[in-house]
Amino acid sequence: MEAFTTHTGRAVPLRRSDVDTDQIIPSDWLKRIERTGFGAGLFSAWRADEAFVLNNPVYSGATILLAGPDFGTGSSREHAVWALQDYGFRAVISARFADIFRGNALGNGLLPVQLPAPTVEALQTAVEGDPNVEITVDLVAREVRGAGVTASFELDDFTRWRLMEGLDDVGLTLRHAERIAVFEGTRPAWSPTAS
Amino acid sequence: MGRTLAEKVWDAHVVRRAEGEPDLLYIDLHLVHEVTSPQAFEALRLAGRPVRRPDLTLATEDHNVPTSDTLLPIADPVSAAQVEALRKNCAEFDIRLFPMNDPGQGIVHVVGPQLGLSQPGMTIVCGDSHTSTHGAFGALAFGIGTSQVEHVLATQTLPQRRPKTMAVTVEGDLPPGVTAKDLILAIIARIGTGGGAGHVIEYRGAAVRGLSMEGRMTVCNMSIEAGARAGMVAPDETTFAYLAGRERVATGAAWDEAVAYWRTLASDPDAEFDREVVIDAASLTPYVTWGTNPGQAAPLGSRVPSPQDYDSPAVSASVERALSYMGLTAGTPLSEVAVDTVFIGSCTNGRLSDLRAAAEVLRGRRVAQGVRVLVVPGSMRVKAEAEAEGLDEVFEEAGAQWRSAGCSMCLGMNPDTLRPGERSASTSNRNFEGRQGPGGRTHLVSPAVAAATAVTGRLTAPADL
């Protein structure tokens, strides 16, 4: 996983609430067995509409998505995160994220930044006024700066450290393999097995 | 202070707890399907890691599989390659797999319970958000992403932050004609698609106690549509009666020991929930969705809402957009909305009791002219049981198509899809834009309402036939 410390880039406003992962990456794309190449499918149904914000050339090259509340609801598909990253996004800012999407994003180094709805709206308005304005997402200081806004966000120390080091969870957990084996010895004998 | 059901199950699975870090939870059962697993197996191969507990892992083919002509090769080469990848991965890592046409095959959330693998007090995960279904047994069951699938395959554990708890208490009894599906649609309409975010919901109260296991699965299944991490029902006699004698359930003294433990799992009387919601069952009627998320639902007897009904400009805008996508006019009675297609199936409503409820309505009646009706059992076992009761004949005589098991039109990854502009009444769980096919329009309903709608060609409650 690519480490995340601080990122500065231009942003694109997506003024829609309840953006579900079926919209982020439609199910037809889920048949692929690779982990890359999903950027072409990002919001593909909506991108068929010329007026959709990602089709506006003034936002091309933006790396921060300013989304409406309840972003990433629905399906657990991690492909949604892979699509956002493959398209070029490094961070998504929203008033609230769906739990599974948030976990998937943190697992891949796509930073989900939760800010109060009025702050997200202020950023959206600023970017709509000047698409070239740059926004900094600073994980070290846990702060978003730019477009006249300075706002701190919450993220627990452990997750922040893991993202800043670019560590994946499997490697961290395998350090506790002995504890897992001890726990396994305490499971009830009647616990079911699949095979 | 007492503990809730969710807290008891959580505490019993903590392998490691350290200040400031997520708890490391042991996973009792990992369910796998073809869509969200190939990249996880590939990562294991690249790292040279084995699957820690193949015996606690079970795979089935469900999302991609066709539900007709199932003895032919899968026509879509991309779907075929994904199914083939699952077969190779399961063979390589020694994981039990139910392939297409196997009598054990079916939707992952139907297969686990029917084997008796989903049991009270367990932790169950799957790379699928509707894993919340298994919470009906008093298990802590939740959907995960592909990186977490890899993590569970490699370690049989998951690092997780402790969720908050929420009680949804449904007091009184459901009126006749009101089902588990209507109940959960009403709950989501009440608390919203983000209302359960960060929480595990425990469904309680007389109406929940009165549900069958299959009804409880329908309710827990859609917990994710309220944004909840998981949904649970405390195990009781109904749970034990369902489990007794199933293939993967203990017998004899071990059964007695298991049941004694399961009885301790109910939330303590003095346990405190972070949030509590009370619903009056007697006030409920059949519910349908009118919009493009599961929270946009209303009683079938009401009208399509207007964007002007809402105070918040953001909500108004979202309603306006939903009505535009759905091709609906504010103020139209929902019972006048005509459909092209009826889909009866999915992990929400593809079990035997769901098919019985639909067949009951269709028996001796005919599907309306021009309406396509697909009945897709949740598993091959459900299919065989339904056929043993003659339900297939009831459906076919009414003019419906009787199919083989799979996810089918719930998400349209197989050939069963809506065409652009087509409208369905569907017993599935999501009415998102394009969910059942690009440009398709979905109304979520119960199996009984789906069947009645098939008869009239417009959204209809059985009582109005």
Side-chain angles (χ1 to χ4, degrees), chain A residues 86-99:
Chain A
D86 195 51
Y87 188 85
F89 288 112
R90 298 292 319 278
V92 183
I93 300 179
S94 170
R96 186 161 64 182
F97 292 93
D99 291 333

Side-chain angles (χ1 to χ4, degrees), chain B residues 29-387:
Chain B
L29 176 64
H30 185 192
L31 300 166
V32 172
H33 62 83
E34 76 274 16
V35 175
T36 56
S37 65
Q39 296 88 351
F41 283 112
E42 182 63 16
L44 286 189
R45 255 191 299 274
L46 288 172
R49 289 170 179 151
V51 172
R52 181 179 178 91
R53 293 296 299 265
D55 60 326
L56 303 184
T57 312
L58 181 71
T60 182
E61 298 167 3
D62 57 5
H63 282 62
N64 272 278
V65 300
T67 58
S68 55
D69 298 325
T70 56
L71 295 175
L72 300 175
I74 299 178
D76 176 351
V78 192
S79 287
Q82 192 167 60
V83 168
E84 191 49 42
L86 181 68
R87 291 177 187 179
K88 278 176 57 186
N89 287 329
C90 288
E92 179 181 341
F93 290 97
D94 199 24
I95 291 167
R96 185 179 181 192
L97 166 71
F98 292 118
M100 260 176 78
N101 296 310
D102 186 289
Q105 180 266 345
I107 305 174
V108 66
H109 309 309
V110 178
V111 168
Q114 77 184 12
L115 287 171
L117 261 177
S118 310
Q119 298 182 11
M122 288 173 65
T123 47
I124 302 175
V125 298
C126 172
D128 188 283
S129 60
H130 292 109
T131 308
S132 57
T133 310
H134 310 265
F137 292 85
L140 181 65
F142 52 94
I144 57 178
T146 297
S147 296
Q148 292 171 313
V149 169
E150 176 197 345
H151 193 283
V152 178
L153 288 172
T155 71
Q156 205 57 35
T157 66
L158 263 187
Q160 290 282 295
R161 296 268 166 201
R162 199 180 177 90
K164 292 181 190 155
T165 57
M166 177 173 183
V168 172
T169 305
V170 190
E171 291 178 342
D173 298 321
L174 293 175
V178 179
T179 68
K181 183 63 166 286
D182 304 306
L183 171 59
I184 187 62
L185 286 174
I187 290 171
I188 301 164
R190 164 90 170 268
I191 69 176
T193 53
H199 292 74
V200 172
I201 297 176
E202 181 181 333
Y203 300 98
R204 304 155 61 87
V208 175
R209 289 278 137 243
L211 291 174
S212 68
M213 280 315 297
E214 300 198 343
R216 293 177 188 183
M217 284 188 245
T218 298
V219 170
C220 288
N221 171 276
M222 289 189 71
S223 302
I224 182 69
E225 314 317 334
R229 201 75 188 85
M232 302 176 86
V233 175
D236 59 11
E237 299 306 323
T238 301
T239 321
F240 309 146
Y242 178 96
L243 286 170
R246 288 189 187 261
E247 185 182 328
R248 307 311 296 178
V249 178
T251 54
W255 162 260
D256 295 338
E257 198 183 313
V259 172
Y261 172 61
W262 296 342
R263 287 187 196 283
T264 69
L265 293 173
S267 293
D268 296 324
D270 60 339
E272 284 182 18
F273 292 87
D274 295 299
R275 191 178 163 202
E276 297 199 48
V277 173
V278 177
I279 305 263
D280 173 21
S283 69
L284 297 177
T285 57
Y287 256 65
V288 300
T289 61
W290 49 263
T292 54
N293 72 55
Q296 292 178 323
L300 175 46
S302 67
R303 292 167 185 270
V304 175
S306 163
Q308 282 137 33
D309 298 346
Y310 303 86
D311 293 335
S312 146
V315 176
S316 272
S318 140
V319 169
E320 192 166 356
R321 187 181 157 76
L323 294 189
S324 162
Y325 180 85
M326 292 296 288
L328 293 174
T329 307
T332 308
L334 284 163
S335 59
E336 289 178 9
V337 175
V339 305
D340 315 284
T341 299
V342 171
F343 172 63
I344 298 171
S346 85
C347 60
T348 311
N349 281 130
R351 286 170 286 267
L352 186 60
S353 61
D354 300 310
L355 302 187
R356 282 178 182 156
E360 189 63 33
V361 174
L362 283 172
R363 194 181 298 275
R365 293 193 168 102
R366 286 288 306 170
V367 167
Q369 190 77 30
V371 176
R372 168 175 61 146
V373 181
L374 265 63
V375 186
V376 182
S379 71
M380 293 300 277
R381 184 183 295 189
V382 169
K383 183 175 195 241
E385 288 169 349
E387 288 174 353

